[in-house]
Amino acid sequence: MKNSQSDNTDQSFVPPVLPTYARADVAFVRGEGVYAYDAQDNRYLDFGSGIGVNNLGFCHPALVKALTEQAGKIWHTSNLYRIEGQERLAERLTRECFADSMFFTNSGAEAMECAIKMARKFHDDNGDPDRFRIITFEGCFHGRTLATIAAAGSEKLIKGFGPMPDGFDHVPFYKDMSKVEEHITEETAAILIEPVQGEGGIRPVSRENLEILRKLCDKHGILLMFDEVQCGMGRTGKLFAYQHSAIKPDILATAKGIGGGFPLGACMATDRVAQCMKAGTHGSTYGGNPLAMAVGNAVLDVVLADGFMEHVDQMSYELRKALVKLGSSYPDVIDVVRGKGLMLGLKLHTPVPDFVGTALKNGLMLVGAADNTVRLLPPLIVTEEQVEEAIGLLDKTCTDLKKALDAKKADSDTGD
Ligand SMILES: *Cc1c(COP(=O)(O)O)cnc(C)c1O
């Protein structure tokens, strides 16, 4: 029998769910399109998409149908057998991007782990086992496993979890990426970058800089790896964000939007790189199981349909325009608007938790990020009316924060 109370002399009781998140005190019980509802039927407008995951909103009819139909057939078989949904999804994705082959995972971090392993194995297979180091950028985020926190290297992620796996070189998020060349050595295997940094505060890498990185990789015989876990799958108005540029990566990890809320990720590579991953080199029990594949294929049907990306572009244009206007109305609250497609950020003058908390009270779900930035990641199916509704709620949020700021200022003016 557990005897936690009498054993626990310091009176710090840990709740049954490990408290690794500072959660808002709201629980949603159902969702429909861009709206989520709590048990009291209060309605919230979702401009966070479960951190860029629910790209088609809640309970998209095509996804519900795909999942429930598959649930009545077969859930799980393991990767010891062929999975037709994987073959279909992989074939379709290879037609839409640089990749020739891919490995399915359950999450973004797992897709990144596969990417890191593949970069090392590629050089090992080519007789260059000393090339194992990967260059990563200040502000990046690649997941929460040991290798992916080591890849990011920030104090916030790694403190207390050492020793870190070796093999990552952290460099500044340069305005001019040609400076990365200074950090390339005989041991460098790859450069890893998010074409749009998500957690780092919605910081896009320019098309020119992506092209510079490609040139550097070619010159030094190293691999270019993109983490499109957040910015991929239509989020920026292209299936993958790198497709705004003229270049291609060697390896790309994606997740979040690819499963529309069902846990799914993928690590993709070119033929040249993928050749190093033979039977037995990597695996996952659940990765790409029939349920995930049914949903993944259904997500792709919607995202690849005619006019979908044009819709994302159109909504992005409307939202961005309105945000810039909002920024000029509340210069004390909003510093700048940035981002790409429907991956937009507001860099603030006020604390992000205040902004996100006030917005939630007003019925709008948002997501914080680093660099004092709040993320707007609405479902890609958002309509113009819903963009207007969000702007109304953001306006109210800014008014509330401005009032609080003014009250504080008045306080300190007349204070002791
Ligand atoms: C969310 C995220 C990850 C990690 O994905 P998980 O599914 O949480 O493991 C990795 N990279 C980027 C860019 C992300 O946004």
Side-chain angles (χ1 to χ4, degrees), residues 88-148:
R88 179 155 180 262
L89 184 56
E91 221 162 79
R92 298 174 75 196
L93 284 168
T94 57
R95 261 183 264 136
E96 300 296 328
C97 70
F98 80 101
D100 299 307
S101 191
M102 65 198 64
F103 180 87
F104 291 110
T105 69
N106 310 290
S107 69
E110 286 171 279
M112 275 311 310
E113 285 277 341
C114 180
I116 294 163
K117 284 176 71 177
M118 220 193 275
R120 290 183 174 191
K121 186 74 165 53
F122 169 79
H123 290 292
D124 188 81
D125 266 24
N126 286 341
D128 231 347
D130 292 338
R131 276 201 183 276
F132 67 92
R133 306 194 68 83
I134 296 173
I135 291 176
T136 61
F137 294 86
E138 175 268 317
C140 70
F141 181 81
H142 301 296
R144 294 286 198 153
T145 62
L146 271 177
T148 53

Side-chain angles (χ1 to χ4, degrees), residues 180-198:
V180 172
E181 187 161 27
E182 296 165 22
H183 305 280
I184 297 174
T185 71
E186 299 282 279
E187 291 188 333
T188 305
I191 295 173
L192 166 61
I193 195 162
E194 296 158 79
V196 184
Q197 274 192 356

